[in-house]
Amino acid sequence: MKLVIVESPAKAKTIEKYLGGDYKVMSSIGHIRDIPKSASKKAGAVDIENGFKPKYEIIPGKKEVIRKLSDAASEAEEVILAADPDREGEAIAWHVKEALKLQPGKYSRVTFNEITKDAIIEAMKNKRDIDMDLKTAQEARRVLDRLFGYGLSGLIWKKLWYGLSAGRVQSPALRILVEREREIQAFKPEKYWKISAETKDKIGNLISLKYPGDIFDKKEIEKVEKVVKEKPEFEIVEIKETEVAKKPNAPFTTSTLQQTANNYLGFTPSRTMRAAQKLYEAGHITYMRTDAPTLSKQALGMISNFVKNEFGNDYFEGRVFKSKSKNAQEAHEAVRPTDISKVNAGNTDDEKRLYSLIWKRTLASQMKDAKTIRTKISAENSKEIKKFSLSGSRLIFDGWLKVFPEARGEDQILPELEKGQKLKLVKLNLEEKETSPPNRYSEAGLVKEMEARGIGRPSTYAATIKTLKDRNYVTAEGRTLIPTDIGMAVSGFLEKHFDNYISDKFTAYMEDELDLLAEGKEDYVKMLSNFYEPFTEQIKEKEGVEKITNIGEVKGFSCPKCGGPMVWKLSRGGRFMSCANFPDCDGARTEEGKELTGPKEIGKPCPKCGVDSEVGKEKIRKEEERYQKWLAKKEKLEAQGKPVPEFKKKDLKLGVLVEREGKYGKFISCSRYPTCKYIEESEEQKKANSTGVKCTECADGYMVKRMGRFGEFYSCSNYPDCKNAIKARPTGELCPICGKLMMEGTKTIPDRCSVKTCPMHRPDKLSPEEQKKYGVELKK
């Protein structure tokens, strides 16, 4: 029996179908070993003195996986390592070999770019050893990222607060977003005008003409207005038609797949890669991490036949595309369907939609240009001013748009006009506008920018954006990424003190160095030494910089206590205004300007550490015991005529309840917070948060509003005993299908069931008959 080891269980199942009974296919379920995340000496993550040797530890939960693989390997005549065809896959194969203690001659390495029967059988004929250059390049990336993170994150913890992080790819990506945000904040709008003329021909057809460009000069506006009103007539002086070819885009790379899926499907990069991974593992598409837009000869042949058979020879045009990426990695093929004749594929809705996008893009890349006639009609009023015009277009040959109609756009049909024809002015429109600040980046825009600047690799784009969100450095509003105050502060600190290490130049340079390692043209120790020695020196130099407390001056508000100026400060709940004279004055305001008052005692002991609690009673008992011992000692000393030391009472630190005001309203907590973490809602806040809707999972609970990491949600008042929770406000109605709580819908989805598996969770997708039966009213 031969043992084949891949990363994913789904991939294992697909491959097992293609190999005979002599093969057993098992999965490592991703990585099995990694470098410790901790930078402590005890963890000993990287032995710098011994040539930057990493210490690998088994990832939690993987010991049982390794045991099963080891047992199977001991019974196999050969172990075939079939991890993904990239540096990361090469490293996984090496880690499996090391963890299973496989000896030379016992194992081999195979790779394939698609999971089809032909590709798998061909791969088994081309076994090789593990490519140590690729493994070394991936190891260097992991060590480099760990050293970078250990150094900068540790300093940020000291200068901002514990738990924040910096990263070799993450921090430059954050900088891109922050620099754009500063541009937006510094932007000053400027007024400009657009001019159009409503005209009509001799039979009364209305025709709208536009004056060219944005006009910032008021004098030009006045001149155009004066000239046109003096002579309220236009003459058609030119009708120009131009044939324009619209070329198809190249087949997908990882970057363009993420960008297009975001633009057309609204998918985040992470969502795109999850669906693509499933499609790859099921054998529907080629490997989804690639820089290359190229197609194999076999694929080109299949596409050529399909286009000619389905649409005719007039639609086919063979094309070869080259990578535009500055740092294209291994020469993989583009992301394409493994079988172009398969129009639909995938199990989930996401997989089906993404496959359709990949299929269309691949097919379109080998089809002829779409051809459009663009028409521009120029009309003159006077030689003193520029010509007015109107433009239109019409499609004369659809070409590749035949399979990708979403990219077509609408035809703009113009009225039939002749040169020399006169048009009479009906109305001159002067539209005043203001210039807009640059747009914030969408996730697709950030991926495109990262690729253009050489920051990261195909496998890192989605993970980088996810990290920025998880760290609360950015928030997503729709498809737009907005840096948070924490993100702005962290990036500002790094730009000020480590600009050279979060620059595009450094990040792209390190990617080039890793590429050289992968090609066997660079030395591992030399590369890391060249980075680490000056990096650690700079870290040491910055140890003495001041801690970041203020993040800017406040304008428009003064201190509510002393009337002095205020500054912005950061807390884990966001930013707030603090008196510039703190700690001499503790005046503070919320971000909206409301005064923040200090804790107010409510006259009750803390149930957790107060006078009536078990903890409190024990403290009092011990203090009483200490006092009795002192009395006994006092009596003895007095009998001996010796001086008696004074009894000093200890502060028992018994907590009392206080009312505080936080980001989400008033709440009650222990006066010893954060040492004692007892917390409860104030009566006022309880009333505000209560929905009055009874919980369907327990006897006496009610659904109340709460705030979590991802915003507002509703859960049972008996939490944690009852863990019933839903993501939107309950309506008070019960689902007509499953009997669970109904909750408020979205802008497009009507009120729906809170249970995801219930058909009423998406009432908009029910059949018209079902919608009528359950009284669903669709939103318009």
Side-chain angles (χ1 to χ4, degrees), residues 60 65 84 368 406 427 462 470 552 655:
V65 173
D84 286 340
K368 284 193 174 175
E406 297 92 334
K427 184 182 179 183
D470 290 346

Side-chain angles (χ1 to χ4, degrees), residues 31 33-40 43-48 52-57 59-60 138-154 157 165-170 471 524 528 531-532 535-536 539:
H31 290 270
R33 305 197 307 176
D34 200 2
I35 302 170
K37 290 183 179 179
S38 173
S40 67
V46 181
D47 187 349
I48 293 159
F52 296 93
K53 187 176 180 181
K55 171 192 171 185
Y56 289 108
E57 61 182 13
I59 294 169
Q138 182 64 18
E139 185 167 87
R141 177 186 289 279
R142 299 296 295 142
V143 170
L144 180 64
D145 289 345
R146 282 287 194 262
L147 295 175
F148 192 98
Y150 292 157
L152 284 186
S153 297
W157 292 356
S165 73
R168 185 179 60 86
V169 176
Q170 163 195 322
R471 294 288 180 190
Y524 173 86
L528 290 173
F531 156 74
Y532 188 69
F535 178 69
T536 49
I539 294 281

